[in-house]
Amino acid sequence: MGHVHGSGCGHYYYGGVWSIYPRTYYTRGRRNSFYFFVNLGDFRRRNVPEYVYERSVYVEDEPIDVYEDSNPLSRAYAAFAKGSFYESVIAFNESIDSDPENGVLYLARAQAHIAIADYRTAYEDLIRGMELVPEWTEVEFSIAELYGNPEWFEAHYESLARWVGDYPRDYKAHFVLGYIHYFQQDYAAAKSEFIYALAWDKNHPQATMLMDSILAYEAEAEVLAAENEDLEAVEEEQEL
C-alpha cells in the first residue's frame, strides 16, 4: 500500500497510522545505512562502529520494506511503527532467539518494552545490549527520531517519568530514564538519573560508561567555550 501525504501537514499515512516519515524510511538493508526503527542514514555519520554495522545491522541481501517482509525483525520494526508495541516485543523475542549475540536487537527490544511500560525488562535489555555493544554510548541519534508519531514518544517518556516519580527507589527505572535523557542529549537530566543508579551500585558498568561520556562531552564543551572567549578577546583587541 502506497503512502498518502497528509494535506499540507508533512505526515504520511500507511500501515493504518500516520507517520512523520515517508515510506522509504522503513526500508532496511540498504548498504551503508543504519537501520534502527527507521533508516537513520549512513552508519558512519551516526558513529556506529563498523563491526557493529557488519555483524548486527547489515544482515540483508537486498533492501527490504519492513511492512512487506515476514522476517521477525521486520515485523518487530513494522509493529513498533504502527503502534502495536506488544506485537513488536513478541517479534523482537523471535529475532533474539535466532540471533542471541546481536546487541542491537536487545537495545531495540528495550524501546518496545519502554513503550509497554515494562521498565524492569527494558533495563535488562539495555544492560545486555550495552554489554554486547559497549560503543553504543558514542552512537549519535535521538530516541524521539525513532518514532514516526512524536506523540507516542511524549506519552512513553511522560509515563516513565511518572513511574520514577511514584517509585523513586526503583533504580532500574532511573537508569532507563537516564538512558532516554542521554540519547535526547539532555545530559544534565541524564546525570542526575545515573548518579542515582551509581548510588545504588557504585560499580554499575553501564551507568559509569554513560556518565564518563557525559563528563567527557562537558569537558570538551568547556574547552571550546574557553577557546571562543579567547578568540573574541583577541578580536576585540584588534578592533581597538
Side-chain angles (χ1 to χ4, degrees), residues 120-154:
R120 180 174 294 273
T121 309
Y123 170 86
E124 300 298 338
D125 275 346
L126 292 178
I127 297 305
R128 182 57 178 154
M130 292 182 68
E131 286 175 346
L132 292 167
V133 189
E135 300 92 342
W136 191 250
T137 59
E138 307 304 319
V139 177
E140 297 179 3
F141 70 95
S142 76
I143 300 296
E145 69 182 320
L146 307 182
Y147 286 78
N149 186 332
E151 292 181 357
W152 291 346
F153 167 71
E154 291 297 332

Side-chain angles (χ1 to χ4, degrees), residues 16-111:
V17 298
W18 291 96
S19 174
I20 60 173
Y21 296 115
R23 181 68 172 262
T24 55
Y25 276 63
Y26 295 98
T27 299
R28 67 190 187 94
R30 288 178 172 165
R31 190 63 184 168
N32 296 326
S33 292
F34 176 38
Y35 193 95
F36 189 64
F37 291 92
V38 295
N39 187 343
L40 296 172
D42 193 307
F43 78 93
R44 290 156 295 203
R45 291 179 181 240
R46 294 291 183 160
N47 210 28
V48 178
E50 187 166 357
Y51 87 90
V52 174
Y53 168 76
E54 293 290 349
R55 297 180 189 176
S56 303
V57 177
Y58 186 71
V59 295
E60 272 58 62
D61 293 326
E62 60 185 27
I64 294 173
D65 184 323
V66 300
Y67 281 99
E68 297 178 353
D69 188 33
S70 60
N71 178 280
L73 184 55
S74 291
R75 289 191 283 108
Y77 283 133
F80 191 95
K82 292 185 291 186
S84 301
F85 302 115
Y86 286 95
E87 180 183 336
S88 182
V89 168
I90 293 171
F92 274 127
N93 290 344
E94 292 182 49
S95 292
I96 290 173
D97 285 344
S98 63
D99 191 7
E101 297 302 309
N102 187 331
V104 174
L105 296 182
Y106 292 93
L107 295 161
R109 188 173 65 178
Q111 290 299 144

